[in-house]
Amino acid sequence: MLCFRLSLLPSLGLVLLCLLLGASQSYAIEIALKNSGGDICLYAKWQMNFTIHYEAENKTSKTATISDFTGMNYNESKCRDDNNHSQIVVQIGSSFSWIANFTMEASNYLIDAVSFTYNLSDASIFPDAAKTGSVTVDHPVTIKVPLNDNFRCNSVLTVPVDEVQERYWDILVQPFGKKSKNEFLCDEDKISTTIAPIIIHTTVPSPTMPTPKGNPAVGNYTITNVNGTCLLATMGLQLNITQDKSPFIININPNVTNFTGSCHPQTAQLRLNNSIIKYLDFVFATKNGNRFYLKEVNASISLTNGSDFSIANNNLSYWDAPLGSSYMCNKEQTLSVSEIFQINTFNLRIQPFNVKEGKYSTAQECSLDDDTILIPIIVGAGLSGLIIVIVIAYLIGRRKSYAGYQTL
């Protein structure tokens, strides 16, 4: 028997796939296989994303990001067989498949290898691809885990294989039974332990982080699903954190920052991560059926003092614009996520819904960029100054006229 479901992140409960598809902020894939006796014989929960570079017909390089896994199935997955192997097989439509292999050895199990197959013939995902047909990339893993332990890795694992960059995070797997209380952590999690949102955990006295010189570099982020490009973002980002009255200022370098995301009819998400940012989520939503806005920001950041800073706010209202348009703000803008966490944006342009042909639609500019508002302000200030000068001159004139007469 095979059970599978998607779960909402952060901890908003579990939603069965048969009841809901694609109406939440971010999806974790969850699979539970049962044997003939009804007991769980394989359990796994994780998130993943694939960025594929391919050659177009005009000899240029294009990129496709796969992060929307709605419509997937696990029908070929299997529990332990006579050869002590188990396997997770994820089929995503007719264009993608993903396989993870596990082997039991005495008192341990091995995470053996992972393979990913994509079909360049699918023009909706790979428009203008110079080549066609399926491509499979394999990479050995060889992680040995005690048999009765879950394998957990909350950190983002980035695996470059040929033209594909694979990313995995929030992993919890027990390929030979049900979930255990014992956990085997990946090396990345041993370095930096994850903490829950809206908790600040300090381990050592907090030194002041040097202030970055200049504005942050501007990065371009593109999220693609089965229908093509679904989210566009261009922005320079500067993070301002206050912890124990000490400021931490971080300029995000897009050249060393990974990104993932997802698009759904009423929500969209862009997630950034690098060596110090476990995740920085921008979650967008629609309202009134005709506008979009930034609704939520979640972050988990490793600071230079060895502590982790995590926070979440799902009650924001920034970057409001009509659906079918983009939002633009070239000047520095501050997003106040909380009293201790602000994000400064530079040269911002964002369109999380209704992207056409992979290009930005007409932009709604922020008030900071709208120089036309300065004209009435300048004219008003000039007129006010002129009126004040006239009144003062009138009062001085009256005073001089009275000075020529004496009371008898």
Side-chain angles (χ1 to χ4, degrees), residues 185-362:
L185 298 181
C186 64
D187 292 339
E188 289 77 6
D189 278 11
K190 292 175 184 177
I191 296 172
S192 177
T193 303
T194 304
I195 58 176
I198 321 185
I199 294 178
I200 303 172
H201 175 64
T202 305
T203 56
V204 295
S206 172
T208 301
M209 179 178 292
T211 301
K213 295 181 180 180
N215 294 339
V218 176
N220 294 295
Y221 311 100
T222 302
I223 303 303
T224 305
N225 62 12
V226 294
N227 297 316
T229 301
C230 60
L231 184 151
L232 293 170
T234 301
M235 52 189 170
L237 295 171
Q238 184 180 82
L239 311 182
N240 293 268
I241 301 168
T242 302
Q243 181 173 322
D244 297 334
K245 298 183 180 180
S246 295
F248 295 82
I249 302 176
I250 303 170
N251 279 353
I252 293 182
N253 181 357
N255 296 324
V256 294
T257 299
N258 299 319
F259 63 92
T260 61
S262 60
C263 302
H264 304 285
Q266 295 179 338
T267 61
Q269 181 195 44
L270 173 65
R271 166 173 284 197
L272 307 181
N273 65 83
N274 57 31
S275 59
I276 62 172
I277 299 173
K278 180 191 171 186
Y279 58 80
L280 174 61
D281 291 343
F282 297 90
V283 181
F284 303 88
T286 62
K287 64 179 180 180
N288 303 325
N290 61 1
R291 300 188 72 84
F292 72 83
Y293 67 105
L294 177 65
K295 182 181 186 296
E296 182 175 343
V297 169
N298 307 310
S300 180
I301 302 164
S302 297
L303 302 179
T304 53
N305 62 357
S307 67
D308 289 338
F309 174 88
S310 294
I311 198 163
N313 188 338
N314 63 358
N315 193 31
L316 301 176
S317 186
Y318 291 108
W319 304 348
D320 189 303
L323 283 173
S325 67
S326 60
Y327 176 87
M328 183 169 67
C329 197
N330 289 317
K331 294 183 179 177
E332 180 178 354
Q333 187 180 37
T334 300
L335 277 64
S336 181
V337 181
S338 73
E339 292 182 356
I340 57 174
F341 182 48
Q342 294 82 38
I343 302 175
N344 293 339
T345 64
F346 301 80
N347 298 309
L348 167 73
R349 192 165 187 180
I350 182 80
Q351 185 168 346
F353 300 99
N354 299 353
V355 177
K356 303 296 184 183
E357 299 180 351
K359 300 177 181 178
Y360 284 111
S361 300
T362 303

Side-chain angles (χ1 to χ4, degrees), residues 48 50 66 69 72-73 76 88-100 114-119 134-137 166 168:
M48 62 182 178
F50 306 95
I66 311 304
F69 302 116
M72 57 191 168
N73 71 74
E76 302 300 320
I88 299 175
V89 180
V90 179
Q91 186 67 44
I92 310 161
S94 60
S95 299
F96 305 97
S97 64
W98 181 86
I99 300 173
V114 173
S115 66
F116 173 61
T117 301
Y118 57 97
N119 187 0
S134 295
V135 178
T136 298
V137 293
E166 305 174 16
Y168 305 93

Side-chain angles (χ1 to χ4, degrees), residues 22-42:
S24 69
Q25 301 160 6
S26 177
Y27 287 123
I29 304 168
E30 186 172 19
I31 178 174
L33 274 63
K34 295 183 179 180
N35 58 25
S36 58
D39 297 322
I40 293 177
C41 55
L42 185 153

